[in-house]
Amino acid sequence: MTDSHQPRHPEAPKGRPTPKRSVAQSQRRSVANTTMSRKEAAKRQREERRAALERQRQALASGDERYLPARDKGPVRRLARDFVDSRFHIAEWFLPMAVVILVLSMVQVAQLQNIALLLWLVVIVMIVLDSVVTGVRLKKTLAERFPDENRRGAVAYALMRTLQMRRLRLPKPQVKRGERP
C-alpha cells in the first residue's frame, strides 16, 4: 500500500479497477440519502425544537443555567438578575400606576386632570432617579465581583428587568427581597 500523502506518478497504476458509472452513482446516492423521508426529517426536527423550547421554558421557571437562552446565561447576568430581584423598584409598578393615571386623566374634572398630569411627571422622575441609582450601584458591584469578565449590556439587562412586575419576570426571581445577591 502506498502512502496517500505522496503524490502518485501520473503513469503509475492506481491499484484498483475503475468502478462502472452506475456503481459510482449508486454509492454517492447511498451516502447522501438518509433513512428518513423529508416529511419524517421535518417532523423529527419539529419535535427536537419543541423539546428544546420546553426545556428552555422550564429553565426560565426554575433558573437552571444550562438551558437558559443566551441572553440570560452566565454569572454576570445572574448577578444582575439577583441584584434587581433583591430590591424594590418603582419602575415595576409603572403599568398599574399608568392605568390609574390614565383613568384620572379621562375624567372630565379639571382638577383631576391636573393631578394626573402632575402624577405622570412625578412617576417618570422617580423611575429615572431609581434607574440611575440602580445602574450606578450595579456597575460598581459588577466591577468588584467580575473585573475580568465581559459586563457589556448587563446594566441595560437589569434595568429592563426592573420595568417588569416581579411575578412576571423570566427567569423567575431566585432571591427574596432584602436578600443580598
Side-chain angles (χ1 to χ4, degrees):
M1 188 174 230
T2 61
D3 188 12
S4 62
H5 296 296
Q6 271 186 335
R8 189 174 59 85
H9 188 272
E11 294 178 7
K14 64 182 178 228
R16 59 182 167 76
T18 302
K20 289 188 173 181
R21 174 177 283 185
S22 60
V23 173
Q25 285 176 342
S26 69
Q27 284 176 343
R28 277 199 310 263
R29 283 192 193 111
S30 68
V31 169
N33 283 348
T34 61
T35 58
M36 289 185 280
S37 69
R38 204 184 66 159
K39 277 186 177 181
E40 291 170 341
K43 183 178 179 182
R44 194 175 111 235
Q45 192 175 24
R46 267 195 314 273
E47 291 297 324
E48 288 172 0
R49 187 171 47 244
R50 189 175 293 130
L53 287 173
E54 178 61 24
R55 273 196 313 268
Q56 195 175 70
R57 189 187 63 73
Q58 289 175 348
L60 286 170
S62 68
D64 186 1
E65 209 46 53
R66 293 174 295 174
Y67 301 115
L68 285 177
R71 124 196 124 181
D72 298 316
K73 276 187 182 175
V76 173
R77 297 295 171 109
R78 182 174 197 78
L79 177 65
R81 283 194 304 272
D82 291 347
F83 189 87
V84 167
D85 294 339
S86 67
R87 291 170 174 76
F88 171 79
H89 296 279
I90 296 163
E92 68 187 83
W93 294 100
F94 174 72
L95 285 176
M97 287 188 288
V99 170
V100 169
I101 293 171
L102 281 173
V103 168
L104 284 176
S105 65
M106 300 296 271
V107 176
Q108 295 297 321
V109 177
Q111 286 181 326
L112 286 180
Q113 288 179 339
N114 288 338
I115 290 171
L117 197 58
L118 186 63
L119 279 175
W120 272 123
L121 181 64
V122 169
V123 167
I124 290 172
V125 167
M126 287 174 60
I127 289 173
V128 167
L129 289 175
D130 185 41
S131 297
V132 168
V133 169
T134 301
V136 169
R137 284 183 179 167
L138 180 59
K139 245 185 208 179
K140 183 180 173 190
T141 304
L142 288 173
E144 287 172 1
R145 293 207 192 162
F146 302 106
D148 299 333
E149 289 200 38
N150 183 8
R151 301 180 303 265
R152 188 165 188 242
V155 174
Y157 172 77
L159 291 178
M160 289 304 292
R161 192 167 173 87
T162 64
L163 289 172
Q164 299 166 344
M165 296 205 307
R166 185 177 170 88
R167 276 183 293 178
L168 303 177
R169 291 178 185 163
L170 289 176
K172 293 285 183 196
Q174 301 296 310
V175 296
K176 292 183 176 141
R177 289 204 176 153
E179 279 185 33
R180 293 189 65 89

